[in-house]
């Protein structure tokens, strides 16, 4: 494969490169792309297309956006810096001139060089070294992959703006003059560098607010310069500063070809210039770059780079008298058309992927299956109110009463450290009771021991200190419970048991339950205090009774009182501990509710991500496979497929619960891989985005959809993808008549995207060969590219019939080739090139010139407008694109009658015998015959009749003018001789012209000649 470098200038060029690059990503794997000798360079004064995260660059889960080394930002320099320091930019001085004047002329330059071509050139010129470095880098990339001897450079730009239109001249010229690319294409086309430019003409009706006042005028100025560049009349100042001007005479061709195109094709079809047209241009270039090189495609490839018009590639000046006449117009211009008849496989695959992916997303969101609809976009009903009250869930989430008051530990780190309240107090109080029995005051001793246990020994620090510490750590306790709940929720979601809607419901029910239990705990504090108060009274009663027994109280009675006191102390210690625990629970649950609300917020954020993905999938579905089922051959991309079959297959699979579960499980599994081992919704939100989900739809779900398609649709006739377009065409156009009509319709609707002036095409131009349409002007070639057929003899026969039908459908003055080796089996392509023409035959050129003239001939700021419109000078230095119009007889008389009078005065025009045997005289020019004798070439019987004769032409007038100029510089240089000439003019008026006008000085004829005579006298007086 040859090297290909694609250069995009400005927004128009960038859009074409973007479309081309996205198609590369669609049709080739990363490994395949890494070996393609294709590289890119995007040059712009705006970074709009380089914004990170731009989803319009996404293709099959990959980001196709340009790398930084493929982008040259030419607005990185301030024009004010250039104007204030012109010596720092030696290559720009020549066309900046006086920087202060240029600064005033250009005014404020904003985005896209403000549609000022001169500003666009300055911006590009100030970055020329960066451009060359970037281009060399891209050349090295392409060449390292191929080592090819031929390099093709494709340059894409619009002509209406400032950046691309202002840079195009230098991009072409500077690129050609780089040592790597100076050698043109060899005669066999196998070596050297071919440069092809694609220039978009301004739309007659610009979209939106695109026209800043110079839209169409820019187009005309740019075309004028491109024409001059192609014939090497325009040898631009060297913006690099290395030379004064680029010596384009040192190269064979500047650009091999320049394609001009608009948004209206020759049949009047209009396309969206911002969205669809860039795709068409990229498809045309894509088709050329990946075209099989063989005998059928050789002439088409030569036409692309105009290697086949060297004998007819120029037009000479029609007014020139020298041999050879000067070259004024290049015919190295072309236009293109492309029609792709395709089974839109990628679109169908994407339709499947987004439809089935939407089902997977609905499962994540609602998990509500219906056998007639698949996964619905409404929730399934689950009773979470009862669920959150189940004892086993409270235990699992450590939310039982015992956990909340810390009778049982919440934190994993507290497990096994301490016994429950009852177990602790039930163990220590009996021991302390036995110790107290031997004391002098056993009740007081037991009270003291319990107080010490409560204050110091409970869980090693005492009740108050223990719960003070836990209160300080209530965040951690709340977080532990919340983490357990989140783990449960995440696990249930990850297995497909619960949807995100269910999780939100569960959160709401848990929050309601937590709030209710917190209120219960607050009420329990009151009840516990009541119990404590009652026990304190009972304790005081027992203590008083002990006092009343005195020393002689019965032993049995005392033992009973001690035992009863011990029970009271056990109850008091328990309730006081429970009080502290319940107070902790109330406080901690306030924090837990906050944490739970935060968890719900995280789930809601994940819901938002899924909702965004659902909306995205729905939007993508809406833009795919939405045809009305009819095939229109008028479209540039003819979508030829079984739309109803696509819809039926999709509906069938959506209702297949087993297959949908498989898709959902795999999709969810891929999400879980992205989330990783930390299974929380915080992590899900951080790692999952709409972009990641889009990538999974384009890869995982699409791969699954293709597998299902191949499993369900077994017969070739049923298949919706992975099918040869010829096979599908053969089923529809299965009669000779239908096939003939199809071929005829395809050719008829495959027009190029430029309209032409038929009169200009057939117009004979002096000093040039007679125009022969299809040979030396307006040549056309059509290449039909059919996919290779494998296996089916029936389809092979159809392909041969289609080939014959396509050739028969083309007019005899059009070259047509049919290649049957196409690599893309789902596509048939018809590429058209109209080429070998001067720009004067382009219909829109007249309109562009009118708009140009409005600015260029402005009575107030003509020079300023011309300066802004052109990249150098003010435009007068360039050859005209149009033929010089022949003057009307009245115009010829007005301009050249003064020179007729001067010619008579000088003796070039005389009155002499006709020598025709009549004896009559006539006025005319004197010529010498073969015997060197003077003979009259009569023009009219009267002098005033000469200017009305058919021989009185512009050429004759120019001849008289030339003789006058020569005489005034020779025999009539002296003032006395010039006075004699004036006298001759005066005598002619009085003695010849006035009598011929009947002596009437007021007649229209006399006044006409009187004015001419006065002009003649002025010419004599003012000649220097």
């Amino acid at each position: 494969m040859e090297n290909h470098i694609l250069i995009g200038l400005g927004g128009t060029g960038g859009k074409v490169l973007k479309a081309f690059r996205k198609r590369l990503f669609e049709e080739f794997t990363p490994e395949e792309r890494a070996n393609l000798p294709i590289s890119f360079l995007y040059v712009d004064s705006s970074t709009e297309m380089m914004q990170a995260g731009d989803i319009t660059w996404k293709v099959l889960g990959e980001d196709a956006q340009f790398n930084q080394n493929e982008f040259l930002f030419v607005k990185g320099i301030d024009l004010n810096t250039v104007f204030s320091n012109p010596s720092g930019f030696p290559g720009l001085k020549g066309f900046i001139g006086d920087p202060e004047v240029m600064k005033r002329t250009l005014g404020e330059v904003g985005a896209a060089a403000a549609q000022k071509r001169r500003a666009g050139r300055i911006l590009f010129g100030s970055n020329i070294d960066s451009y060359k470095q970037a281009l060399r880098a891209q050349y090295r990339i392409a060449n390292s992959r191929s080592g090819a001897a031929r390099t093709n450079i494709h340059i894409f730009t619009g002509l209406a703006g400032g950046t691309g239109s202002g840079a195009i001249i230098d991009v072409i010229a500077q690129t050609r003059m780089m040592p790597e690319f100076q050698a043109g294409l060899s005669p066999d086309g196998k070596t050297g560098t071919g440069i092809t430019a694609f220039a978009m003409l301004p739309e007659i009706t610009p979209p939106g607010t695109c026209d800043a006042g110079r839209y169409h005028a820019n187009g005309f100025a740019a075309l004028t310069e491109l024409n001059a560049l192609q014939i090497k009349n325009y040898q631009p100042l060297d913006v690099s500063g290395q030379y004064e001007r680029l010596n384009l005479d040192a190269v064979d061709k500047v650009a091999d070809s320049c394609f001009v195109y608009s948004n209206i094709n020759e049949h009047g079809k209009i396309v969206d210039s911002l969205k669809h047209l860039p795709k068409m241009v990229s498809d045309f270039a894509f088709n050329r770059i990946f075209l099989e090189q063989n005998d059928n495609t050789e002439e088409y490839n030569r036409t692309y780079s105009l290697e086949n018009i060297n004998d007819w590639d120029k037009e000479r000046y029609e007014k020139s008298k020298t041999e050879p006449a000067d070259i004024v117009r290049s015919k190295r211009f072309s236009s293109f058309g492309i029609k792709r008849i395709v089974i839109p496989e990628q679109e169908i695959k994407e339709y499947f992927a987004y439809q089935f992916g939407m089902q997977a997303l609905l499962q994540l969101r609602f998990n509500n299956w219906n056998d007639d609809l698949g996964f619905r976009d409404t929730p399934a009903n689950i009773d979470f109110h009862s669920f959150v009250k189940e004892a086993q869930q409270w235990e699992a989430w450590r939310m039982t009463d015992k956990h909340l008051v810390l009778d049982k530990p919440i934190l994993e780190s507290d497990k096994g450290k301490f016994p429950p309240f009852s177990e602790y107090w039930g163990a220590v109080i009996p021991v302390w009771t036995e110790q107290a029995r031997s004391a002098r005051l056993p009740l007081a001793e037991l009270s003291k021991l319990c107080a010490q246990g409560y204050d110091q020994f409970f869980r090693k620090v005492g009740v108050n200190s223990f719960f003070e510490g836990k209160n300080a750590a209530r965040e951690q306790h709340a977080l532990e419970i919340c983490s357990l709940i989140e783990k449960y929720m995440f696990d249930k979601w990850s297995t497909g048991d619960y949807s995100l809607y269910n999780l939100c419901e569960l959160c709401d029910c848990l929050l309601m339950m937590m709030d209710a239990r917190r209120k219960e705990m607050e009420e329990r504090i009151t009840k516990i205090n009541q119990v404590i108060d009652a026990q304190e009274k009972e304790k005081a009663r027992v203590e008083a009774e002990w006092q009343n027994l005195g020393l002689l109280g019965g032993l049995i009675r005392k033992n009973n009182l001690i035992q009863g006191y011990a029970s009271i102390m056990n109850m008091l210690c328990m309730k006081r501990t429970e009080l502290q625990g319940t107070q902790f629970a109330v406080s901690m649950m306030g924090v837990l509710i906050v944490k739970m609300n935060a968890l719900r917020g995280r789930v809601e954020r994940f819901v938002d991500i899924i909702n965004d993905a659902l909306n995205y999938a729905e939007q993508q579905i809406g833009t795919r496979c939405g045809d009305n089922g009819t095939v229109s051959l008028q479209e540039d991309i003819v979508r030829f497929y079984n739309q109803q079959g696509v819809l039926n297959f999709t509906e069938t699979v959506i209702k297949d619960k087993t297959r949908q579960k498989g898709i959902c499980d795999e999709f969810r599994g891929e999400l879980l891989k992205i989330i990783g081992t930390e299974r929380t919704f915080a992590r899900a939100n951080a790692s999952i985005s709409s972009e990641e989900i889009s990538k999974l739809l384009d890869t995982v779900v699409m791969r699954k959809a293709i597998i299902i398609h191949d499993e369900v649709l077994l017969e070739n006739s049923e298949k919706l993808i992975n099918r040869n377009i010829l096979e599908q065409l053969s089923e529809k156009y299965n009669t000779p008549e239908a096939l003939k009509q199809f071929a005829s319709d395809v050719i008829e609707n495959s027009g190029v995207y430029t309209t032409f002036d038929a009169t200009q095409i057939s117009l004979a131009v002096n000093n040039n060969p007679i125009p022969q349409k299809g040979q030396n002007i307006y040549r056309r070639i059509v290449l039909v590219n059919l996919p290779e057929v494998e296996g089916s003899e029936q389809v092979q026969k159809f392909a041969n019939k289609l080939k014959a039908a396509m050739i028969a459908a083309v007019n005899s003055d059009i070259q047509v080739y049919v290649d049957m080796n196409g690599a893309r089996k789902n596509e048939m392509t018809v590429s058209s090139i109209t080429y070998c023409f001067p720009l004067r035959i382009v219909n829109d050129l007249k309109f562009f010139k009118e708009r140009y003239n409005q600015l260029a001939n402005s009575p107030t700021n003509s020079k300023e407008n011309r300066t802004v419109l052109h990249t150098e000078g003010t435009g007068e230095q360039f050859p005209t694109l149009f033929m010089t119009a022949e003057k009307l007889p009245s115009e010829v008389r007005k301009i050249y009658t003064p020179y007729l009078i001067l010619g008579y005065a000088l003796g070039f025009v005389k009155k002499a015998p006709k020598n025709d045997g009549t004896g009559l005289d006539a006025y005319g020019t004197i010529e010498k015959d073969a015997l060197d004798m003077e003979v009259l070439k009569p023009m009219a019987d009267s002098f005033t009749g000469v200017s009305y004769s058919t021989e009185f032409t512009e050429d004759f007038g120019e001849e008289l003018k030339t003789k006058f100029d020569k005489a005034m510089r020779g025999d009539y240089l002296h003032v006395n001789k010039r006075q004699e000439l004036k006298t001759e003019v005066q005598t002619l008026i009085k003695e010849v012209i006035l009598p011929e006008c009947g002596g009437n000085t007021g007649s229209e004829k006399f006044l006409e000649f009187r004015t001419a005579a006065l002009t003649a006298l002025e010419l004599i007086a003012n000649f220097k």
Side-chain angles (χ1 to χ4, degrees):
M1 188 175 180
E2 300 162 351
N3 297 324
H4 294 275
I5 304 172
L6 281 70
I7 302 173
L9 307 179
T12 300
K15 288 183 178 70
V16 175
L17 261 60
K18 180 178 182 179
F20 188 101
R21 198 170 168 100
K22 290 181 70 173
R23 188 171 173 190
L24 270 188
F25 274 64
E26 286 178 0
E27 299 201 9
F28 295 93
T29 65
E31 295 74 22
E32 290 170 335
R33 292 198 304 272
N35 293 317
L36 291 175
I38 300 173
S39 54
F40 300 86
L41 181 57
Y42 169 41
V43 181
D44 205 349
S45 58
S46 167
T47 59
E48 181 181 354
M49 288 180 61
M50 295 297 294
Q51 298 304 308
D54 184 350
I55 63 171
T56 64
W57 282 95
K58 300 302 178 185
V59 181
L60 302 180
E62 291 188 85
D63 187 351
Q65 195 172 46
F66 300 119
N67 301 319
Q68 283 302 318
N69 65 350
E70 297 171 320
F71 175 57
L72 177 62
F73 180 45
V74 296
K75 197 70 188 293
I77 187 165
D78 183 3
L79 283 181
N80 290 324
T81 303
V82 178
F83 295 143
S84 62
N85 181 30
S87 61
F89 303 89
L92 310 185
K93 288 194 298 182
F95 58 88
I96 287 179
D98 185 330
E100 292 182 343
V101 173
M102 183 59 70
K103 185 176 180 180
R104 287 198 302 272
T105 300
L106 291 180
E108 185 63 31
V109 177
Q115 279 189 13
K116 299 174 181 178
R117 295 188 67 243
R118 184 69 63 100
R121 187 183 189 194
I122 294 172
L123 288 173
F124 178 78
S126 61
N127 288 272
I128 185 60
D129 292 337
S130 298
Y131 170 77
K132 289 182 177 180
Q133 290 172 7
L135 183 54
R136 284 193 178 96
Q138 295 308 314
Y139 169 70
R140 286 193 293 270
I141 290 172
N143 200 50
S144 67
R145 296 170 179 173
S146 72
R150 171 167 171 165
T151 296
N152 301 285
I153 298 176
H154 315 262
I155 303 169
F156 305 91
T157 189
L159 299 183
T163 304
S165 185
I168 184 61
I169 297 297
D170 286 317
V171 169
I172 293 174
Q174 290 284 344
T175 299
R176 175 59 83 191
M177 295 307 293
M178 289 173 65
E180 296 90 338
F181 311 125
Q182 272 194 29
L185 295 175
S186 60
D188 62 4
K190 293 182 178 179
T191 63
T193 298
I195 296 178
T196 302
F198 286 81
M200 179 183 165
L201 303 174
E203 308 94 319
I204 296 299
T205 304
T209 57
C210 288
D211 188 357
R214 286 173 289 274
Y215 202 78
H216 301 102
N218 277 342
F220 186 79
L223 289 170
T224 299
E225 293 178 6
L226 280 169
N227 175 71
L229 184 73
Q230 287 289 70
I231 62 175
K232 301 180 184 177
N233 168 275
Y234 184 14
Q235 306 220 1
L237 289 163
D238 183 2
V239 292
S240 71
Q242 186 174 1
Y243 305 102
E244 181 181 358
R245 289 189 178 274
L246 295 176
N247 180 20
L248 298 180
D249 292 325
V251 298
D252 181 21
K253 299 178 184 67
V254 187
D256 295 83
S257 173
C258 179
F259 283 90
V260 292
Y261 64 95
S262 72
N263 67 325
I264 305 177
N265 80 356
E266 59 185 311
H267 301 305
K269 177 177 171 53
I270 302 174
V271 296
D272 187 317
S273 56
L274 298 179
K275 295 180 180 178
H276 298 146
L277 192 55
K279 180 72 166 63
M280 288 168 48
V281 181
S282 74
D283 282 343
F284 180 75
F286 194 97
N287 187 60
R288 158 62 184 92
I289 289 172
F290 289 100
L291 196 61
E292 177 80 19
Q293 304 288 324
N294 57 47
D295 292 343
N296 291 322
T297 61
E298 179 181 2
E299 188 61 22
Y300 177 85
N301 286 334
R302 284 168 51 79
T303 299
Y304 182 90
S305 49
L306 295 185
E307 300 168 55
N308 54 359
I309 67 161
N310 290 338
D311 294 336
W312 315 107
D313 67 348
K314 62 186 71 68
E315 204 167 78
R316 296 186 181 276
Y317 184 45
E318 56 277 4
K319 298 293 184 181
S320 178
K321 301 302 178 184
T322 61
E323 288 289 342
D326 293 336
I327 300 169
V328 290
R329 287 177 285 274
S330 172
K331 289 162 70 176
R332 288 195 162 272
F333 289 97
S334 307
S335 192
F336 76 91
I338 185 165
K339 184 176 294 295
R340 298 172 61 201
I341 302 171
V342 301
I343 300 173
E345 284 204 357
Q346 187 56 42
E347 183 177 332
I348 294 171
K349 291 174 185 176
E350 289 173 358
Y351 182 79
F352 292 159
Y354 291 123
Q355 283 280 16
F356 302 159
M358 192 166 183
Q359 286 291 297
L361 291 166
L362 286 172
Q363 190 281 322
L364 296 177
R365 181 72 179 87
F366 297 111
N367 193 27
N368 185 10
W369 177 262
N370 181 289
D371 288 337
D372 295 324
L373 301 171
F375 284 105
R376 299 181 62 192
D377 58 357
T378 55
N381 296 318
I382 298 178
D383 182 10
F384 284 113
H385 291 281
S386 300
F387 174 75
V388 297
K389 296 175 183 178
E390 293 177 2
Q392 65 184 30
Q393 292 308 130
W394 288 12
E395 185 68 36
W397 297 331
R398 299 175 196 167
M399 286 184 63
T400 64
D401 287 353
K402 289 183 177 295
H403 284 100
L404 294 177
V405 300
L406 297 184
D407 190 12
K408 295 173 71 173
I410 292 175
L411 298 179
E412 195 68 29
S413 58
D414 284 347
K415 277 191 174 181
K417 284 187 177 180
F418 311 111
F421 299 165
S422 60
E423 188 176 324
Y424 174 77
W425 294 116
V428 298
I429 289 180
V431 175
W432 294 338
T433 302
E434 291 306 315
Q435 291 178 6
R437 286 184 190 279
S438 58
R440 187 172 66 87
L441 298 171
L443 297 189
E445 182 65 19
L446 179 57
S447 180
K448 182 184 78 171
L449 289 171
C450 287
Q452 288 176 336
Y454 185 88
D455 293 334
Q456 301 173 27
F457 303 141
F458 178 81
R459 297 188 176 177
K460 297 183 179 180
V461 294
V463 173
N464 290 335
S465 294
F466 175 79
F467 281 104
E468 283 175 6
K470 289 303 181 182
N471 262 306
R474 62 186 181 277
E475 287 265 350
Q476 288 79 2
H477 288 75
L479 188 59
E480 182 76 12
I481 294 173
C482 208
S483 297
L484 291 170
I485 293 172
E486 183 170 17
K487 183 180 183 305
Y488 172 83
M489 291 167 59
F490 197 96
D491 288 345
K492 284 293 187 181
W493 172 78
S494 66
T495 56
D497 295 328
Y498 287 171
S499 69
L500 292 172
Y501 181 90
N502 297 149
L503 298 188
C504 289
E505 279 189 313
L506 177 55
C507 286
D508 292 339
C509 290
L510 281 167
L511 283 165
M512 291 173 61
M513 179 268 288
M514 288 174 184
D515 187 58
R517 292 189 64 194
R518 185 171 182 268
K519 291 175 180 176
E520 288 175 8
M521 289 291 179
E522 288 174 341
E523 293 173 359
R524 189 177 298 177
I525 289 173
T526 302
K527 293 177 181 178
I528 293 174
N529 278 322
Q530 291 173 350
V531 172
I532 291 172
D533 289 344
Q535 290 299 313
E536 286 286 359
K537 291 177 181 177
E538 184 63 18
K539 177 189 172 210
R541 184 193 66 75
V542 172
E543 288 174 346
E545 185 177 347
W546 180 274
Q547 291 293 334
N548 293 332
L549 287 175
L551 296 174
L552 300 177
L555 182 60
I556 293 174
R557 181 61 181 154
K558 285 185 176 182
N559 283 336
N560 288 338
L561 285 176
I562 291 172
Q563 195 59 43
Y565 193 78
S567 296
I568 292 169
M569 292 307 299
N570 185 67
M571 179 64 75
L572 276 172
C573 288
M574 274 289 296
K575 290 302 177 182
R576 286 172 178 167
T577 305
E578 284 180 13
L579 179 62
Q580 290 280 352
T582 305
Q583 289 172 337
F584 164 80
V586 170
S587 176
M588 187 274 292
M589 287 189 75
V591 177
L592 177 58
I593 289 171
V594 172
K595 298 288 184 189
M596 196 64 211
N597 272 312
L599 172 58
R600 193 192 194 286
R602 294 194 294 274
V603 174
E604 284 178 343
R605 282 193 292 277
F606 195 49
V607 168
D608 290 340
I609 293 171
I610 300 301
N611 282 342
D612 288 344
L614 278 166
N615 291 333
Y616 172 75
E618 188 172 17
Q619 290 169 4
Q620 299 307 308
I621 290 168
T623 60
R624 286 160 174 80
C625 300
D627 317 59
N628 58 13
T630 61
V631 175
S632 173
L633 294 178
Q634 293 182 345
E635 299 300 320
D636 298 296
I637 298 181
V638 180
R639 299 150 53 76
F640 199 89
Y641 72 110
N642 182 358
Q643 187 219 20
Q644 192 57 50
V646 169
L647 300 180
N648 292 343
F649 170 77
T650 304
E651 184 179 359
T652 298
V653 176
I654 283 176
K655 294 178 182 179
D656 188 328
K657 188 172 185 179
T658 301
R659 295 189 188 280
Q660 285 303 313
K661 185 179 185 304
I663 294 172
C664 294
D665 288 348
E666 188 165 344
F667 180 75
R668 195 184 320 105
E670 291 298 323
L671 286 178
L672 292 172
K673 286 179 185 177
I674 297 171
I675 294 170
T677 55
E678 183 189 328
R679 296 198 163 192
T680 66
F681 288 100
R683 176 62 185 164
N685 290 326
S687 54
I688 300 296
S689 63
S690 297
E691 183 179 336
E692 288 289 342
I693 292 175
S694 172
K695 184 175 181 179
L696 291 180
L697 296 178
D698 288 338
T699 53
V700 174
V701 179
M702 185 179 293
R703 183 175 63 249
K704 193 78 173 174
I706 294 170
I707 292 172
I708 293 172
H709 169 274
D710 293 342
E711 289 174 348
V712 173
L713 305 177
L714 300 176
E715 297 295 328
N716 274 343
S717 59
E718 296 178 322
K719 289 189 179 298
L720 303 167
I721 56 176
N722 196 27
R723 194 177 188 209
N724 195 304
I725 182 70
L726 294 176
E727 185 177 0
Q728 195 144 330
L729 287 171
S730 68
E731 294 170 2
K732 182 175 178 64
Y733 304 105
N734 52 12
T735 67
E737 294 76 16
L739 185 58
K740 180 181 179 180
Q741 188 63 51
F742 169 72
S744 176
D745 290 345
V746 168
I747 293 298
E748 183 179 340
N749 288 286
S750 298
V752 299
Y753 269 81
T754 305
T755 58
F756 299 99
D757 184 334
T759 302
Q760 286 287 330
I761 294 171
S762 58
L763 186 65
V765 181
N766 192 33
N767 294 324
N768 292 273
I770 297 297
Q772 293 178 283
K773 184 178 176 182
Q775 181 176 335
N776 60 11
I777 191 170
Y778 195 74
R779 297 171 67 164
R780 306 188 72 181
I781 188 170
V782 173
L783 175 68
V784 180
N785 192 245
L786 302 178
E788 188 173 1
V789 179
E790 295 179 355
S792 174
E793 183 178 346
Q794 182 179 352
V795 176
Q796 182 64 63
K797 288 180 180 178
F798 174 81
N800 292 329
K801 291 177 182 177
L802 177 58
K803 175 181 178 179
M806 295 300 292
I807 293 173
V810 177
N811 294 334
S812 59
D813 63 341
I814 300 176
Q815 296 171 284
V816 60
Y817 296 89
V818 179
D819 178 56
M820 304 178 71
N821 299 288
R824 294 178 289 279
K825 70 178 186 178
N826 68 310
E827 177 174 338
M828 166 186 170
T829 304
V830 180
S831 300
S832 307
I833 302 177
T834 297
Y835 63 106
C836 188
F837 59 80
L839 289 169
R840 62 180 173 81
I841 79 168
V842 175
N843 254 335
D844 294 343
L845 197 66
K846 296 184 184 70
F847 177 74
F848 299 158
K849 182 167 176 36
E850 289 174 7
R851 293 302 178 91
Y852 173 87
N853 287 342
Q854 289 175 6
L855 296 177
N857 300 329
S858 167
T860 56
N861 50 4
S862 170
K863 185 175 181 181
E864 289 82 356
N865 286 341
R866 286 176 174 270
T867 299
V868 170
L869 289 169
H870 286 282
T871 55
E872 274 185 35
T874 52
E876 295 95 340
Q877 73 272 34
F878 302 124
T880 176
L881 296 180
F882 289 102
M883 287 175 54
T884 303
E886 291 189 9
K887 294 179 174 61
L888 296 172
S890 59
E891 294 176 310
V892 173
R893 288 195 298 274
K894 182 176 181 180
I895 296 171
Y896 295 110
T897 299
Y899 290 102
L900 172 64
I901 292 171
L902 290 168
Y904 182 87
L906 290 167
F908 305 139
V909 177
K910 293 183 178 181
K911 180 179 182 182
K914 290 183 178 181
N915 292 323
D916 60 355
T918 62
L920 300 176
D921 293 337
Y923 287 90
T925 56
I926 299 298
E927 298 178 353
K928 289 188 177 183
D929 62 11
L931 298 176
D932 197 32
M933 295 177 63
E934 289 188 352
V935 294
L936 178 71
K937 182 181 179 182
M939 297 178 70
D941 292 340
S942 64
F943 182 83
T944 53
V946 171
S947 60
Y948 284 86
S949 69
T950 56
E951 289 85 358
F952 193 75
T953 63
E954 184 180 350
D955 287 344
F956 177 72
E958 283 293 318
E959 185 179 337
L960 291 176
K961 181 176 180 296
T962 301
K963 288 180 178 180
F964 168 72
D965 289 347
K966 183 179 179 181
M968 292 296 284
R969 289 186 175 89
D971 295 342
Y972 288 84
L973 183 62
H974 196 276
V975 64
N976 291 338
K977 295 291 288 183
R978 294 187 178 185
Q979 184 57 46
E980 291 177 9
L981 197 57
K982 290 181 181 179
T983 301
E984 290 290 336
V985 171
Q986 293 165 347
T987 301
L988 175 65
I989 284 289
K990 294 175 185 176
E991 298 182 0
V992 178
I993 295 175
L994 183 58
E996 288 185 6
C997 295
N1000 184 358
T1001 57
S1003 70
E1004 183 178 345
K1005 181 186 291 186
F1006 181 78
L1007 293 175
E1008 177 187 337
F1009 277 90
R1010 182 180 185 280
T1011 300
L1014 291 173
T1015 302
L1017 293 176
E1018 289 178 9
L1019 288 170
I1020 297 169
N1022 297 330
F1023 193 92
K1024 293 180 181 179

